[in-house]
Amino acid sequence: MKIRRTCLAASAVVALLTGAVACTSEDGAPPAAGGAADGAKRPLDTVCASGSYTWFNVSDQDVLVGLAEKQRIGKGGGPLTNKLSRLHTPVTAVTFEKGPRVDAGATLRSLRTHVSDTRKPDLDGFGFADVHRPVPKLASNTTSVSDAGIFVDYAWVRQITADFRYTCGGKQAVGRATGWDIDGGGVLECSTAIDGAKAGEPASEAARLACGPGSPAARVKKP
């Protein structure tokens, strides 16, 4: 079966972090409580910028973020016309659990470097660390299949989340950072098993939700 995608489904989303996200200003620093007057009297509890990060509890995975309803295509194939529906909303953020505040952009850049050094070296240079990154829309796409069947169009994004400890000048900050990268999409056929499918992966989740948990496409290998 041949599948032709003339415009890749672009979507990007990460799961919302647990807990409240600390507010940041344009430069990534939290605003002073009580306005400018208070800020002038009581400087923000910040930490120097030449310290070091320690990263742990790193989660690096592809997440299903957009899904279309299954569509039956007759003999000879044809275009898939069902639109993708959003399943999640993208977030790029840094939260602080204790200690002074650290520049959010610098924190995300450190996470990007850590992941690139230890995992896949393909995180983008700017977007991942941009705390003001706009939420992209699910792109219009035209996907064609050459055979008959029941097909599902889906979109995914690579999500990175990790806890950190930052130390500098005798001070220590602890928090969590999250960002996303590399959005893409795919097509599956409900009556066809997915090669190497694993539970929780975008294709398997798309099959489970759109085709049904008992469909051949939703079957996964047992660990």
Side-chain angles (χ1 to χ4, degrees):
M1 179 180 68
K2 295 181 179 179
I3 296 174
R4 177 171 58 85
R5 177 180 293 276
T6 57
C7 180
L8 181 65
S11 164
V13 185
V14 293
L16 291 172
L17 291 174
T18 302
V21 176
C23 295
T24 58
S25 63
E26 291 298 316
D27 60 1
D38 275 358
K41 295 177 181 178
R42 186 178 60 188
L44 293 172
D45 185 13
T46 57
V47 65
C48 55
S50 58
S52 61
Y53 286 90
T54 299
W55 292 99
F56 51 99
N57 298 330
V58 179
S59 172
D60 180 356
Q61 60 185 337
D62 294 335
V63 179
L64 178 68
V65 299
L67 184 65
E69 293 185 4
K70 61 185 179 182
Q71 181 177 348
R72 184 178 295 276
I73 301 294
K75 184 178 180 180
L80 302 183
T81 57
N82 288 344
K83 299 297 182 181
L84 291 167
S85 295
R86 189 182 299 281
L87 300 183
H88 300 287
T89 301
V91 171
T92 300
V94 176
T95 61
F96 298 92
E97 298 176 6
K98 64 180 181 180
R101 298 299 183 255
V102 183
D103 179 77
T107 301
L108 288 163
R109 287 192 292 273
S110 174
L111 175 57
R112 182 188 67 210
T113 299
H114 174 77
V115 173
S116 295
D117 287 345
T118 59
R119 289 171 170 77
K120 307 171 187 176
D122 49 10
L123 286 173
D124 64 42
F126 172 74
F128 184 81
D130 180 11
V131 294
H132 305 294
R133 193 176 195 176
V135 177
K137 297 179 180 179
L138 290 174
S140 299
N141 65 85
T142 301
T143 304
S144 296
V145 296
S146 59
D147 296 327
I150 300 175
F151 296 90
V152 173
D153 205 357
Y154 64 95
W156 55 270
V157 66
R158 180 184 177 193
Q159 174 184 313
I160 314 292
T161 301
D163 296 322
F164 69 88
R165 183 181 298 108
Y166 178 80
T167 305
C168 188
K171 293 184 178 182
Q172 187 176 91
V174 177
R176 173 174 292 186
T178 186
W180 57 267
D181 191 69
I182 313 176
D183 57 67
V187 176
L188 61 88
E189 202 281 313
C190 290
S191 65
T192 303
I194 300 171
D195 291 339
K198 296 180 181 178
E201 291 185 343
S204 298
E205 282 297 291
R208 183 181 66 83
L209 294 172
C211 302
S215 65
R219 295 172 187 165
V220 297
K221 291 184 177 180
K222 294 182 179 181

